[in-house]
mmCIF file of all heavy atoms in Angstrom:
data_model
loop_
_atom_site.group_PDB
_atom_site.id
_atom_site.type_symbol
_atom_site.label_atom_id
_atom_site.label_comp_id
_atom_site.label_asym_id
_atom_site.label_seq_id
_atom_site.Cartn_x
_atom_site.Cartn_y
_atom_site.Cartn_z
ATOM 1 N N GLU A 22 -6.370 19.177 -106.627
ATOM 2 C CA GLU A 22 -7.081 19.669 -107.816
ATOM 3 C C GLU A 22 -6.398 20.907 -108.401
ATOM 4 O O GLU A 22 -6.372 21.088 -109.623
ATOM 5 C CB GLU A 22 -8.536 19.974 -107.462
ATOM 6 C CG GLU A 22 -9.363 18.710 -107.227
ATOM 7 C CD GLU A 22 -10.751 19.004 -106.664
ATOM 8 O OE1 GLU A 22 -11.045 20.175 -106.350
ATOM 9 O OE2 GLU A 22 -11.541 18.046 -106.522
ATOM 10 N N LEU A 25 -3.700 19.683 -110.548
ATOM 11 C CA LEU A 25 -4.230 19.186 -111.824
ATOM 12 C C LEU A 25 -4.488 20.342 -112.788
ATOM 13 O O LEU A 25 -4.175 20.254 -113.981
ATOM 14 C CB LEU A 25 -5.548 18.441 -111.605
ATOM 15 C CG LEU A 25 -5.503 16.992 -111.125
ATOM 16 C CD1 LEU A 25 -6.917 16.431 -111.083
ATOM 17 C CD2 LEU A 25 -4.606 16.148 -112.004
ATOM 18 N N TYR A 38 4.573 32.670 -113.777
ATOM 19 C CA TYR A 38 3.573 33.574 -113.202
ATOM 20 C C TYR A 38 2.166 33.115 -113.579
ATOM 21 O O TYR A 38 1.252 33.093 -112.736
ATOM 22 C CB TYR A 38 3.815 34.999 -113.704
ATOM 23 C CG TYR A 38 2.702 35.973 -113.385
ATOM 24 C CD1 TYR A 38 2.644 36.600 -112.145
ATOM 25 C CD2 TYR A 38 1.702 36.234 -114.326
ATOM 26 C CE1 TYR A 38 1.610 37.487 -111.848
ATOM 27 C CE2 TYR A 38 0.670 37.112 -114.031
ATOM 28 C CZ TYR A 38 0.627 37.738 -112.796
ATOM 29 O OH TYR A 38 -0.396 38.600 -112.503
ATOM 30 N N VAL A 75 15.672 23.268 -107.345
ATOM 31 C CA VAL A 75 15.154 22.138 -106.565
ATOM 32 C C VAL A 75 13.775 22.483 -106.005
ATOM 33 O O VAL A 75 12.801 21.765 -106.226
ATOM 34 C CB VAL A 75 16.132 21.782 -105.426
ATOM 35 C CG1 VAL A 75 15.615 20.623 -104.594
ATOM 36 C CG2 VAL A 75 17.523 21.472 -105.991
ATOM 37 N N LEU A 86 8.406 28.691 -119.710
ATOM 38 C CA LEU A 86 8.680 27.266 -119.909
ATOM 39 C C LEU A 86 9.099 27.015 -121.350
ATOM 40 O O LEU A 86 8.513 27.581 -122.285
ATOM 41 C CB LEU A 86 7.436 26.429 -119.592
ATOM 42 C CG LEU A 86 6.875 26.532 -118.179
ATOM 43 C CD1 LEU A 86 5.692 25.574 -118.030
ATOM 44 C CD2 LEU A 86 7.936 26.247 -117.134
ATOM 45 N N SER A 107 1.384 19.808 -101.387
ATOM 46 C CA SER A 107 1.678 18.787 -102.396
ATOM 47 C C SER A 107 2.525 19.379 -103.520
ATOM 48 O O SER A 107 2.426 20.571 -103.817
ATOM 49 C CB SER A 107 0.364 18.234 -102.955
ATOM 50 O OG SER A 107 0.595 17.177 -103.867
ATOM 51 N N ASP A 146 12.532 4.401 -90.993
ATOM 52 C CA ASP A 146 12.172 3.395 -92.002
ATOM 53 C C ASP A 146 11.692 4.075 -93.286
ATOM 54 O O ASP A 146 11.970 3.598 -94.391
ATOM 55 C CB ASP A 146 11.070 2.464 -91.474
ATOM 56 C CG ASP A 146 11.535 1.646 -90.272
ATOM 57 O OD1 ASP A 146 12.703 1.210 -90.280
ATOM 58 O OD2 ASP A 146 10.734 1.472 -89.332
ATOM 59 N N VAL A 167 13.653 18.810 -95.920
ATOM 60 C CA VAL A 167 13.008 17.556 -95.513
ATOM 61 C C VAL A 167 11.489 17.722 -95.508
ATOM 62 O O VAL A 167 10.971 18.848 -95.568
ATOM 63 C CB VAL A 167 13.481 17.142 -94.098
ATOM 64 C CG1 VAL A 167 14.984 16.846 -94.104
ATOM 65 C CG2 VAL A 167 13.157 18.213 -93.058
ATOM 66 N N ASP A 180 10.123 16.545 -88.264
ATOM 67 C CA ASP A 180 10.804 16.548 -89.555
ATOM 68 C C ASP A 180 10.717 15.141 -90.143
ATOM 69 O O ASP A 180 10.786 14.157 -89.404
ATOM 70 C CB ASP A 180 12.292 16.900 -89.388
ATOM 71 C CG ASP A 180 12.516 18.399 -89.221
ATOM 72 O OD1 ASP A 180 11.550 19.170 -89.411
ATOM 73 O OD2 ASP A 180 13.647 18.784 -88.891
ATOM 74 N N CYS A 194 2.425 6.204 -85.505
ATOM 75 C CA CYS A 194 1.162 5.742 -84.941
ATOM 76 C C CYS A 194 -0.018 6.416 -85.619
ATOM 77 O O CYS A 194 0.139 7.440 -86.294
ATOM 78 C CB CYS A 194 1.124 5.990 -83.428
ATOM 79 S SG CYS A 194 1.159 7.718 -82.990
ATOM 80 N N PRO A 216 20.684 34.294 -104.309
ATOM 81 C CA PRO A 216 20.614 35.579 -103.583
ATOM 82 C C PRO A 216 19.190 36.112 -103.424
ATOM 83 O O PRO A 216 18.973 37.017 -102.612
ATOM 84 C CB PRO A 216 21.455 36.522 -104.456
ATOM 85 C CG PRO A 216 22.342 35.637 -105.247
ATOM 86 C CD PRO A 216 21.593 34.372 -105.468
ATOM 87 N N THR A 235 0.470 15.102 -98.960
ATOM 88 C CA THR A 235 0.071 15.071 -97.561
ATOM 89 C C THR A 235 -0.626 13.735 -97.320
ATOM 90 O O THR A 235 -1.532 13.373 -98.070
ATOM 91 C CB THR A 235 -0.887 16.236 -97.259
ATOM 92 O OG1 THR A 235 -0.190 17.476 -97.482
ATOM 93 C CG2 THR A 235 -1.393 16.188 -95.824
#
Side-chain angles (χ1 to χ4, degrees):
E22 288 171 354
L25 279 184
Y38 169 83
V75 180
L86 300 183
S107 184
D146 296 321
V167 296
D180 281 351
C194 65
T235 297

